[in-house]
Amino acid sequence: MGQEETNNTGYFKELSKGFIRENPIFILCLGLCPTLAVSNLVENAFGMGIAFFFVLLCSNITISLVQKLIPDEVRIPCFIVIIAAFVTVASLLMQWLIPDVYARMSLYINLIVVNCIILGRAEAFASKNNVFRSALDAVGMGVGFTASLFIISAIREVTGFGTFLGFRLIPENIKPITIMILAPGAFFTIGFLMALFNLIRIKKGKVSK
Amino acid sequence: MTLGQIIALFMGSVFVQNFIFSRFLGLCPYVGVSKDTPSAMGMGFAVVFVMTMASAVTWGLYRYVLIPFDLTYLKIVAFILVIASFVQFVEMFLKKAFPALHRSLGIYLPLITTNCAVLGVAFLNITQFETESYGFAKSTLQGFFAGIGFMLAMLIMSGIREKLEYAEIPEAMKGLAIVFITAGLISIAFLGFSGFKL
Amino acid sequence: MLKDKHLTVTVSPHIKTSLTTERMMWIVSAALIPAAGAGIYFFGPHAALVIAVCVGASIITELFCAVLMKKPATIKDGSAFLTGLLLALCLPPEFPLWMCALGSFFSIAVSKFAFGGLGHNIFNPALAGRAFLMGAFAKEMTTWKTLQDFPDGITAATPLNLLKEQGYDSLMKVFDSHSHLFKELFIGRVGGSIGETSAALLIIGGLILIFARVTTWHIPVSYILTVIIVSYFTGGLFDIPFHLFTGGLMLGAFFMATDPVTSPITPKGQIIFGIGCGLFTMLIRIRGGYPEGVCYAILLMNSVTPLIERFSKTRIFGVKR
């Protein structure tokens, strides 16, 4: 992942890799459970994205700060405790700030703690890089995750409810495709978006050849 | 607990609200380890075992330690630590007592720590059965049945993926894309169980 | 494995026999014509439109997908025609036409071509399309047409709907007697999907399939027998004809569950498949939230078909092939 180089070039690369090149959802295929579960409404997706962003940023910064203090053998349990602490903070904050969104998805907010993206970034990046790079990495991955979640939820809400963030886009007399907000719709949306990403990669590969 | 309640729990956790097809829990191991039936079976057994035990342990911990000492806000940290150490303990125990079983399940056990289905069922148990009578039995059973549902989903998907090896899938659909489309179609079939009256 | 020569037709997309895929598809389609005709006769011109739109949209989608995937267009083999026809037959007669087109698109594009086209699909395309429409437009999918022959408007709901929502007594009130009910069900003068109501014509079509050796008896017989046994033990003698002749059971047992691509190859596997279909159908009919379970039961058994094949082939559990 090009983390050996520690010179000052490539900061933007560190930031932008999470957007498309190493997009956590569509390319790395990590952290799928909350992606599918809360993407039926754009509002839910934003709540999830913000909570996720917060936990990823805080845990990446903290872990890169304390990396020297943690013995190698127990690093994974230590990472988990640090992440769990921030998830608790995020969960309590959300309960206080946006109680009705939180009530809908508290289970999945709590489950951020076992989200493979966060533990994966801690293990593969934050524990080996300095604070600034870790923060950039977290912002890139967080934006990539939130944007992907936003795309999925926008597709599902528009087709399944006919609305976007609660505003009606499609007139009432055209019946929305309800199945898109049910479980199968989540699987289909992510399946076809992954196929689209594959298609783009195949096209690019052909051009570069 | 009556037999009817047990059947209701079974139908609910295995079919109506299957952890994969309806609750979206445990998707990473689901798409990761379902390439062939033997490993799907191994992972399935490991998950059934850990989910059952973890449900029992976390419910007890919540009811008899966290609630009395007013520490419920620590539940995320407490549960994840309990599950992680429990998985470690199970691995050591199996290695000593049942080496054959350990050889077949061994590689799947460490993966389970970050399986959100295990932690998910622990959270579901404490929200659903916090004040109910027989909470302990219900939690343990829910963990067991949810694990069975997970295993069923794993086996179905592994069978289909083995068959898809020979299919002429379009280039862009290869890999996880077709796995998700298949999961969507299975989950359409599972919609038939919605609204079950028990 | 294939001891009986006639059984080789069940793997027809892969093995060349005198009975080609193409001929098979057209025989099945022809066997469905009487039931489709009865549907149009009972429910009027809109039913014909539904059939036309489903068939047309299926063929157009098939052409489109074939061009997109750079495969030879396979309209002539009749599989798209058959899928469209089967889908139309399990839709309500008054179903909006754009929804028909969407369902056909889903059947062909998602449940067939995403997996590589005919012969590679895991789920029966027509049933996948129907289940998709049921999830997408639940209200339209359960809005039935009132038959003109019944001035008191009793058949606005299907018999299964009536039983599920208002119980056995209201069903008897509508049809006076058991014999009257069973006669209407057998002929098909009841509310329901276009091609599902006339049990008599579907049985004739199904027998044609078996005698033309397009399909074997294993799946329909084991499926229907399971339904008979379960309905006897859960309801009694009078429940047997009721469960047999209502809903999509005959259409499902003879025309959908027997789809050679999505059901097991071995006779033993086929019998397991049929029993599974029967059990799930009755489970959903008796306990489920939907009045009809045939569609979901067959889809569920489609999904475990690879496992059935795996375990009805190998003798030792879990041994690698």
Side-chain angles (χ1 to χ4, degrees):
Chain A
M1 281 176 201
Q3 51 212 227
E4 308 84 35
E5 39 160 349
T6 42
N7 54 354
N8 286 349
T9 59
Y11 279 141
F12 181 71
K13 246 189 172 172
E14 219 73 274
L15 179 71
S16 69
K17 66 171 185 263
F19 298 168
I20 292 183
R21 204 156 30 89
E22 288 181 32
N23 183 298
I25 292 174
F26 298 120
I27 305 292
L28 303 181
C29 305
L30 293 173
L32 295 165
C33 311
T35 313
L36 293 177
V38 303
S39 61
N40 53 351
L41 288 174
V42 178
E43 195 187 18
N44 290 357
F46 267 126
M48 187 65 184
I50 292 165
F52 178 86
F53 198 104
F54 170 80
V55 174
L56 181 59
L57 189 62
C58 294
S59 66
N60 251 16
I61 291 175
T62 314
I63 286 166
S64 77
L65 278 176
V66 298
Q67 54 179 292
K68 297 266 156 45
L69 305 175
I70 299 174
D72 218 29
E73 301 80 41
V74 292
R75 64 180 194 285
I76 300 282
C78 291
F79 293 165
I80 292 181
V81 171
I82 291 170
I83 296 168
F86 285 118
V87 173
T88 310
V89 172
S91 150
L92 291 174
L93 274 178
M94 282 185 83
Q95 206 169 355
W96 177 51
L97 291 170
I98 34 175
D100 47 329
V101 175
Y102 179 79
R104 249 179 280 151
M105 44 195 257
S106 60
L107 176 65
Y108 297 96
I109 294 289
N110 289 341
L111 287 177
I112 292 179
V113 67
V114 282
N115 193 304
C116 355
I117 304 174
I118 295 182
L119 193 61
R121 291 334 283 173
E123 166 72 4
F125 200 92
S127 62
K128 295 178 187 126
N129 284 279
N130 64 30
V131 177
F132 185 58
R133 272 180 186 276
S134 303
L136 279 182
D137 177 71
V139 171
M141 285 289 162
V143 169
F145 179 83
T146 312
S148 315
L149 206 56
F150 172 76
I151 295 170
I152 298 171
S153 62
I155 293 174
R156 290 182 66 194
E157 188 179 336
V158 170
T159 50
F161 273 123
T163 60
F164 180 79
L165 269 172
F167 298 109
R168 184 147 290 284
L169 279 190
I170 294 168
E172 295 267 4
N173 51 1
I174 296 174
K175 290 272 157 34
I177 307 163
T178 320
I179 199 166
M180 292 304 287
I181 53 167
L182 303 178
F187 286 117
F188 291 135
T189 313
I190 195 164
F192 280 111
L193 284 175
M194 275 181 180
L196 196 68
F197 262 71
N198 284 346
L199 203 65
I200 294 169
R201 268 202 299 194
I202 292 167
K203 284 267 156 69
K204 265 194 180 164
K206 270 183 190 157
V207 170
S208 66
K209 259 179 217 163
Chain B
M1 258 181 112
T2 61
L3 186 65
Q5 280 174 314
I6 295 176
I7 294 174
L9 261 182
F10 172 79
M11 289 303 296
S13 314
V14 177
F15 292 115
V16 185
Q17 292 217 291
N18 184 288
F19 263 48
I20 299 289
F21 300 126
S22 153
R23 288 194 200 269
F24 306 110
L25 294 173
L27 284 173
C28 298
Y30 180 64
V31 295
V33 201
S34 61
K35 282 199 190 77
D36 59 302
T37 309
S39 40
M41 188 111 77
M43 185 70 179
F45 274 121
V47 167
V48 171
F49 186 66
V50 173
M51 269 175 112
T52 315
M53 303 308 264
S55 294
V57 173
T58 51
W59 195 86
L61 177 78
Y62 189 75
R63 185 77 184 71
Y64 297 112
V65 179
L66 294 185
I67 292 183
F69 292 98
D70 211 12
L71 292 171
T72 50
Y73 62 90
L74 278 182
K75 63 175 189 279
I76 301 176
V77 182
F79 282 12
I80 188 77
L81 281 180
V82 163
I83 290 171
S85 44
F86 177 71
V87 170
Q88 202 79 67
F89 171 76
V90 167
E91 201 183 350
M92 288 191 306
F93 175 75
L94 283 184
K95 210 172 184 175
K96 276 265 171 0
F98 305 101
L101 192 64
H102 179 258
R103 266 196 300 281
S104 53
L105 296 188
I107 47 167
Y108 305 112
L109 279 170
L111 292 176
I112 291 177
T113 314
T114 52
N115 182 339
C116 48
V118 178
L119 194 61
V121 80
F123 285 130
L124 276 178
N125 284 335
I126 59 164
T127 42
Q128 285 177 353
F129 306 132
E130 187 187 334
T131 51
E132 276 189 50
S133 50
Y134 300 109
F136 178 76
K138 279 183 186 164
S139 298
T140 314
L141 272 178
Q142 170 148 295
F144 177 66
F145 290 145
I148 298 277
F150 182 86
M151 186 160 134
L152 179 75
M154 286 290 278
L155 285 176
I156 291 177
M157 184 52 97
S158 68
I160 293 177
R161 278 177 85 170
E162 281 180 351
K163 199 173 173 182
L164 287 180
E165 294 270 299
Y166 307 104
E168 298 161 14
I169 298 168
E171 203 58 43
M173 299 298 297
K174 279 190 179 145
L176 286 188
I178 196 67
V179 173
F180 277 105
I181 302 294
T182 311
L185 286 168
I186 304 173
S187 117
I188 284 194
F190 270 69
L191 277 187
F193 292 111
S194 58
F196 243 66
K197 286 188 285 284
L198 291 157
Chain C
M1 179 175 302
L2 299 166
K3 274 172 268 165
D4 186 347
K5 263 201 164 171
H6 298 308
L7 288 179
T8 51
V9 295
T10 54
V11 287
S12 142
H14 311 297
I15 297 178
K16 284 231 161 166
T17 64
S18 63
L19 192 76
T20 57
T21 313
E22 193 183 322
R23 263 195 68 190
M24 196 172 114
M25 293 291 176
W26 289 117
I27 292 176
V28 178
S29 303
L32 280 170
I33 296 296
I40 296 170
Y41 173 74
F42 286 132
F43 299 115
H46 196 273
L49 272 180
V50 169
I51 295 176
V53 169
C54 280
V55 170
S58 294
I59 290 175
I60 291 170
T61 313
E62 173 111 4
L63 267 176
F64 176 73
C65 287
V67 170
L68 207 67
M69 285 171 55
K70 301 186 184 71
K71 280 194 165 190
T74 45
I75 300 304
K76 255 194 1 199
D77 71 10
S79 66
F81 179 88
L82 180 59
T83 299
L85 184 62
L86 279 174
L87 175 65
L89 293 187
C90 49
L91 295 178
E94 303 277 79
F95 201 59
L97 296 179
W98 72 271
M99 294 178 187
C100 296
L102 186 71
S104 310
F105 174 79
F106 183 88
S107 290
I108 302 284
V110 179
S111 63
K112 200 167 98 181
F113 268 93
F115 291 86
L118 182 67
H120 302 298
N121 48 314
I122 301 292
F123 296 91
N124 182 315
L127 285 175
R130 189 211 176 256
F132 171 81
L133 290 173
M134 189 72 196
F137 312 108
K139 188 166 158 276
E140 286 75 12
M141 281 295 284
T142 47
T143 306
W144 309 104
K145 188 183 162 85
T146 313
L147 286 183
Q148 283 82 12
D149 319 39
F150 293 86
D152 38 349
I154 44 172
T155 43
T158 68
L160 275 172
N161 256 331
L162 216 57
L163 181 69
K164 178 136 263 169
E165 276 152 25
Q166 292 163 33
Y168 202 71
D169 293 337
S170 69
L171 192 69
M172 279 298 95
K173 213 184 287 169
V174 167
F175 287 100
D176 309 326
S177 65
H178 285 295
S179 57
H180 183 228
L181 169 65
F182 296 148
K183 199 184 107 207
E184 295 295 336
L185 283 175
F186 196 64
I187 297 170
R189 270 195 306 180
V190 289
S193 302
I194 295 171
E196 290 180 348
T197 56
S198 178
L201 292 172
L202 287 168
I203 292 172
I204 293 171
L207 291 179
I208 291 174
L209 292 191
I210 290 176
F211 284 115
R213 298 194 195 285
V214 170
T215 179
T216 57
W217 56 267
H218 302 86
I219 292 175
V221 169
S222 56
Y223 192 167
I224 290 170
L225 268 182
T226 310
V227 170
I228 290 177
I229 294 168
V230 176
S231 52
Y232 178 72
F233 282 109
T234 53
L237 214 52
F238 284 116
D239 274 28
I240 295 176
F242 180 75
H243 278 293
L244 280 188
F245 300 140
T246 48
L249 185 71
M250 288 298 156
L251 186 67
F254 283 111
F255 293 91
M256 311 242 207
T258 54
D259 176 4
V261 180
T262 57
S263 59
I265 302 168
T266 57
K268 195 173 134 200
Q270 293 180 340
I271 290 174
I272 298 172
F273 183 90
I275 293 173
C277 287
L279 289 179
F280 278 125
T281 302
M282 293 308 287
L283 188 69
I284 294 172
R285 277 189 182 178
I286 295 171
R287 291 284 183 183
Y290 294 115
E292 176 58 308
V294 169
C295 165
Y296 295 107
I298 299 174
L299 283 175
L300 285 167
M301 292 313 288
N302 282 164
S303 75
V304 293
T305 293
L307 287 181
I308 294 176
E309 277 181 350
R310 185 190 172 90
F311 291 120
S312 61
K313 256 183 229 162
T314 48
R315 288 200 145 266
I316 307 162
F317 193 67
V319 167
K320 281 188 181 162
R321 274 176 294 177

